[in-house]
Amino acid sequence: MPERRIFVTCDIGEALQQLADRGYWLQVHPQPEPPSHDRILEAVRSGIAALVTTIRDPIDSRIFEAGRGSLKVVSQYGVGYDNIDVKAASRCRIPVTNTPDVLTDATAEFALFMLGDLARKLYLSERLVREKRWTVWHPTLPFLGCEMAGKTVGVIGLGRIGKAFALKCSGLGVDILAHTRTPDRPFGESLQKLMDARQKLQSNRRRNRFRFVSLPECLQQSDFVSLHVPLNAETRHLIDSQALAGMKPEAFLINTSRGPVVDESALHQALEQGVIAGAALDVFETEPLPDDSPLRDPDLEDRLRLYHHLGSGTVETRLSPDPNIGMAGRCVQAALDVLEASDQARLSQMPLVINREVF
Ligand code: NAP
C-alpha cells in the first residue's frame, strides 16, 4: 500500500509509534547521519504519502516535483524551515508543516544561559579549576565577569522565541530593546508592566524600560544582542561587518537563530580586532562546524563560546510524543492532521501547515 508509506529521515523516537498505530508503514533512516538527497528522492519517487524531515535535509524543487500527485505532506521536525523550498512545495500543491511553540521555552532559556556563560565567563572559570590554574582567591584575579543587572539587552526578531527570551530577561533588572519586523505593541506594553511590577518588589532598583527600536539603535545601545529571526533572504548576513561595527566594544552577540544570519568571517575579524567583546554561537553557516573553521581560532577562545545547535535540545522538547510538549509529537501530529483530514479545505484542522495557499 504505497499511499500509507512514510519515509522519516531521522529517528525521532517513540512518537513515531503513533503513525504505526494508525496503520502507516514507516521507513526510518537508521544512521545518525542524514540520508543523501538521492535517497530522499528515491523514497519520494517510490510513492510515499509523507516525508518527515529535519533541518539537515535540503528539500528542494526536485523532491517536490518527484512527489507531485503522490506526496501528501512534508512534515518538518523543527520550527525553522529554511532547508525547504516552500515555493516549490506550493507550486506542486504539497503542504509543508513545522513544529512551532513546543521549542520556544527551551531555545529562549538556552539563549539566556549562553548569555550567562559569556557575561560571567563560566567556561573559563571551569577550565581554570579543572586545569589546576586556580591558585589563590583574589578580588580581581585572574578575571572578573560582567553583571547583567543595569545593562541593556537587545532582541532582534521579537517572535515566539524572541518574546520568551525577553520575558526571561525581564527578571534580571535589564532594559530591553527590540528590533522586529512587525512590532507587537500590546506585548511591549505588558512587558513594561511586568518590569514595573518587578521594580516595586525590589525598590532599590531603577525603573527598567522596554522599547521597540530600529536595527542600528538596537545594535548601538545594547550590551547583549540576541538574534531570534528566521533565516531568509532579508536576514542572511543581517549581522555583517557594518552591523558589528555599530555595536559597543564591550557588547556581546548571542546567536540561536540560524548560522547564516551572522557573517562568520566578519565576526571572526570583529572578535580579533576587539570591535565587540565576545559572542556565543549555537548555530553556524555550515553545521557541524568544519574542522578548519576560523571560529576555532585558539586566540578567540576567551571570548567566543561555541555550542552544537543545542537550543531546542532538551529531552522534553526534542522527544516528547505529546504534541503540546515535544517536537516529535508535534511533527507526527502535523503529518496526521494532513494525511487524515476528512476535507482538505478545512484548514482549521491543519494549524501547522506553513503554505496554506496549497489548499
Ligand atoms: P517566529 O515566531 O516566526 O519569530 C521570528 C520573528 O522574527 C518574527 O517576529 C518576525 O517578524 C521577525 N523577523 C523576520 N524577519 C525579520 C527581519 N528582517 N528583521 C527583524 N525581524 C524579523 O519564529 P520563532 O519560533 O521565534 O523562531 C525563530 C527562529 O529561531 C527559527 O526560524 C529558527 O531558525 C530558530 N530556532 C533555532 C533553534 C535552535 O535550536 N538554535 C530552535 C528553534 C528555533 P514577522 O512577525 O513580521 O514575521
Side-chain angles (χ1 to χ4, degrees):
M1 282 212 292
E3 72 279 6
R4 291 191 80 79
R5 280 191 295 113
I6 297 177
F7 184 64
V8 185
T9 66
C10 180
D11 187 358
I12 58 170
E14 65 170 297
L16 290 172
Q17 188 58 39
Q18 297 169 26
L19 291 167
D21 291 346
R22 303 258 194 138
Y24 290 94
W25 191 65
L26 300 178
Q27 288 173 288
V28 182
H29 180 70
Q31 279 88 35
E33 295 77 24
S36 66
H37 184 269
D38 279 353
R39 175 69 190 98
I40 299 174
L41 202 53
E42 177 194 288
V44 172
R45 280 190 181 133
S46 77
I48 52 168
L51 176 63
V52 175
T53 57
T54 75
I55 186 67
R56 319 174 309 166
D57 310 312
I59 308 300
D60 59 12
S61 60
R62 284 179 67 205
I63 289 175
F64 287 112
E65 290 297 343
R68 229 184 235 276
S70 53
L71 186 60
K72 294 194 173 61
V73 61
V74 170
S75 178
Q76 168 91 343
Y77 172 88
V79 66
Y81 48 86
D82 41 279
N83 57 311
I84 299 178
D85 185 342
V86 178
K87 275 193 188 144
S90 300
R91 208 170 49 238
C92 299
R93 302 185 72 78
I94 298 171
V96 176
T97 62
N98 70 343
T99 63
D101 300 315
V102 287
L103 34 60
T104 295
D105 271 320
T107 310
E109 71 187 29
F110 193 66
L112 182 63
F113 299 152
M114 287 165 71
L115 192 161
D117 191 347
L118 276 176
R120 301 301 291 268
K121 301 190 165 79
L122 303 183
Y123 168 81
L124 298 178
S125 170
E126 180 164 352
R127 275 199 56 188
L128 189 81
V129 177
R130 287 189 177 281
E131 292 170 9
K132 302 178 185 161
R133 290 182 291 113
W134 181 32
T135 52
V136 62
W137 189 94
H138 184 277
T140 60
L141 294 176
F143 53 73
L144 297 176
C146 152
E147 192 155 323
M148 280 196 71
K151 298 292 191 307
T152 300
V153 174
V155 185
I156 298 183
L158 200 72
R160 287 172 291 246
I161 298 172
K163 282 176 182 168
F165 174 75
L167 276 165
K168 291 177 198 304
C169 287
S170 72
L172 294 165
V174 294
D175 290 319
I176 301 175
L177 301 176
H179 167 70
T180 199
R181 199 166 55 180
T182 319
D184 179 346
R185 306 272 167 206
F187 173 84
E189 284 157 22
S190 300
L191 182 56
Q192 184 62 64
K193 281 188 194 145
L194 181 65
M195 290 159 90
D196 289 345
R198 288 191 196 281
Q199 191 215 2
K200 279 198 188 115
L201 293 171
Q202 213 178 347
S203 53
N204 58 333
R205 275 193 183 165
R206 70 170 175 82
R207 183 177 188 235
N208 290 127
R209 298 288 310 275
F210 171 84
R211 283 189 304 128
F212 285 108
V213 293
S214 66
L215 179 62
E217 185 174 354
C218 193
L219 294 170
Q220 272 160 22
Q221 303 291 324
S222 301
D223 300 290
F224 301 92
V225 173
S226 190
L227 306 175
H228 299 286
V229 290
L231 175 63
N232 55 37
E234 212 183 313
T235 59
R236 187 172 291 273
H237 285 192
L238 184 73
I239 304 301
D240 58 8
S241 53
Q242 201 187 336
L244 291 161
M247 290 173 66
K248 297 182 190 182
E250 63 273 23
F252 297 98
L253 178 73
I254 296 103
N255 188 14
T256 54
S257 64
R258 283 289 180 261
V261 173
V262 175
D263 177 343
E264 283 177 4
S265 64
L267 176 65
H268 176 264
Q269 206 175 17
L271 291 170
E272 208 174 32
Q273 297 174 355
V275 174
I276 64 170
L281 307 176
D282 184 42
V283 286
F284 302 93
E285 294 200 73
T286 303
E287 294 182 8
L289 186 66
D291 290 354
D292 61 352
S293 166
L295 297 177
R296 294 184 186 275
D297 183 348
D299 289 346
L300 298 184
E301 199 178 342
D302 62 343
R303 70 208 94 139
L304 178 58
R305 303 279 58 83
L306 309 171
Y307 308 95
H308 66 282
H309 201 143
L310 193 57
S312 63
T314 65
V315 173
E316 299 84 349
T317 291
R318 290 266 174 95
L319 291 181
S320 174
D322 182 335
N324 295 315
I325 297 175
M327 295 160 69
R330 183 151 282 215
C331 172
V332 163
Q333 182 63 55
L336 284 172
D337 285 350
V338 179
L339 289 170
E340 306 211 332
S342 51
D343 170 3
Q344 292 251 311
R346 286 164 79 180
L347 277 172
S348 60
Q349 293 176 343
M350 294 176 265
L352 300 167
V353 172
I354 300 157
N355 53 344
R356 301 174 82 75
E357 64 277 10
V358 292
F359 300 111

